[in-house]
Amino acid sequence: MGTGTPATETTMTSTRPTTRNTWQRAAVRDLLENSAEFRTAQQIHDLLKEHGAKIGLATVYRALQAMSEAGEVDVLRTVDGEATYRHCSSGHHHHLVCRSCGYSVEIAARPVEEWANEVAAANGFTDVGHEVEMFGLCAECSKR
Amino acid sequence: MGTGTPATETTMTSTRPTTRNTWQRAAVRDLLENSAEFRTAQQIHDLLKEHGAKIGLATVYRALQAMSEAGEVDVLRTVDGEATYRHCSSGHHHHLVCRSCGYSVEIAARPVEEWANEVAAANGFTDVGHEVEMFGLCAECSKR
DNA sequence: AGCTGCATGAGAATCATTATCATTATGTGG
DNA sequence: CCACATAATGATAATGATTCTCATGCAGCT
């Protein structure tokens, strides 16, 4: 089909996001924005279906992938390598995650940023980035 | 020899390693001790076979699993979730890894440890641990 | 040397994630 | 408001890493 590419190829902004707003992506985004916990793609899929949404698993993966690339969500790996996602504020930050209930808090780490740069420089490394995640028991879970 | 433990009395709740010294595990250990880079289980398997060792992939996985549990190796996840292993000094530490050549350096992070504890306490978390990994370009790779 | 049971190896089985591809529907221009 | 180009969706197959199965082998101990 669509044989000849229409010469109507005007000077349209090529850098257009080319990303469409579907209710599926909105659903994933909404769900994440209402949770302070990291969830796996499959958990998100299940939750959405419980909510009555008829959405495909592959779509959830694609939405999450897009959102993470856009910096809208944070991705963390569980000990066994599963990816978990959480809505996040824009900008650089880290997390303090409860390993019991999954509750998490975003934390700024100004001191760490500086320390990281120093260490990197001291070792001759350049273009350095870092990952810092903390795991423990939140106040609630600590009581039990 | 006999630690005076009754031969027949298998009641000893001993936390004996019950781990046998096979040449396969030694091979994996040797290979890791001679590399300052993180490698995936399959890479290790390939390298061993190149060296003429006739070892099974499952065995490599088991050896790495045992070694990581014993704290003899560090485990890191690549961006796409693959586990990579590297020989490490005992004790708590972190890494500065070159994302180009894979070269890595162990780094102590006393300042970070303290900071981590403070943040954890400030948020009511207990039993806190943390992960800190830094990625960048080593001096060599920076030149290019 | 003889035993016992953990370790090994080859391949099947899992499981999360990605790719395929026909179909649907979004954003746009007419 | 309608038509169109095409990104997005969804059901499913495919991929790939890691784990499990189980018959056989070897390490450690007597």
Side-chain angles (χ1 to χ4, degrees):
Chain A
M1 58 152 286
T3 44
T5 305
T8 48
E9 182 54 53
T10 54
T11 322
M12 71 185 257
T13 343
S14 54
T15 26
R16 176 196 303 248
T18 59
T19 174
R20 294 180 183 177
N21 300 324
T22 63
W23 64 265
Q24 287 95 331
R25 297 199 172 189
V28 172
R29 189 179 334 250
D30 284 346
L31 187 152
L32 285 177
E33 290 183 346
N34 290 317
S35 174
E37 295 160 41
F38 278 90
R39 310 235 116 112
T40 66
Q42 317 223 20
Q43 287 177 330
I44 293 172
H45 181 227
D46 290 341
L47 288 173
L48 287 175
K49 289 211 294 190
E50 283 176 28
H51 270 249
K54 228 171 139 300
I55 185 175
L57 178 57
T59 300
V60 174
Y61 272 104
R62 280 183 291 236
L64 290 171
Q65 194 169 52
M67 291 174 73
S68 89
E69 281 172 19
E72 292 177 47
V73 299
D74 288 325
V75 188
L76 235 59
R77 294 270 173 191
T78 65
V79 204
D80 33 78
E82 274 179 280
T84 57
Y85 306 81
R86 209 205 81 160
H87 163 259
C88 72
S89 66
S90 53
H92 182 65
H93 62 266
H94 306 291
H95 298 94
L96 175 52
V97 188
C98 175
R99 65 174 135 249
S100 176
C101 69
Y103 172 74
S104 70
V105 186
E106 285 189 11
I107 52 184
R110 228 51 58 65
V112 177
E113 316 296 328
E114 292 168 22
W115 166 83
N117 289 326
E118 286 172 29
V119 175
N123 285 278
F125 275 62
T126 61
D127 189 26
V128 178
H130 60 260
E131 289 176 17
V132 177
E133 301 301 336
M134 299 176 60
F135 303 91
L137 291 178
C138 69
E140 282 306 304
C141 293
S142 293
K143 293 176 183 173
R144 299 166 212 164
Chain B
M1 51 165 292
T3 53
T5 308
T8 46
E9 188 54 51
T10 37
T11 316
M12 60 187 255
T13 348
S14 80
T15 29
R16 178 185 296 270
T18 57
T19 173
R20 294 180 183 177
N21 300 325
T22 63
W23 65 264
Q24 287 94 332
R25 298 199 172 191
V28 173
R29 189 179 334 249
D30 285 348
L31 187 152
L32 285 177
E33 289 182 347
N34 290 317
S35 173
E37 296 161 40
F38 278 90
R39 310 236 116 111
T40 67
Q42 318 224 17
Q43 286 177 330
I44 294 172
H45 181 227
D46 291 341
L47 288 172
L48 288 175
K49 289 212 294 190
E50 282 175 28
H51 270 249
K54 224 170 142 301
I55 186 175
L57 177 58
T59 300
V60 174
Y61 272 104
R62 280 184 290 238
L64 290 171
Q65 195 169 52
M67 293 174 73
S68 89
E69 281 172 17
E72 293 177 44
V73 299
D74 287 325
V75 188
L76 233 59
R77 294 269 174 192
T78 64
V79 202
D80 34 79
E82 275 180 279
T84 57
Y85 306 81
R86 208 205 81 159
H87 163 259
C88 71
S89 67
S90 54
H92 181 66
H93 62 266
H94 305 288
H95 298 95
L96 176 52
V97 188
C98 176
R99 66 175 135 248
S100 175
C101 69
Y103 172 74
S104 71
V105 186
E106 286 188 11
I107 52 183
R110 226 52 56 66
V112 176
E113 317 297 329
E114 293 168 22
W115 166 82
N117 289 327
E118 287 172 31
V119 175
N123 286 278
F125 274 62
T126 61
D127 189 27
V128 178
H130 59 260
E131 289 175 17
V132 177
E133 301 301 337
M134 299 175 59
F135 303 91
L137 291 176
C138 69
E140 283 307 304
C141 293
S142 293
K143 294 175 183 173
R144 297 165 214 162

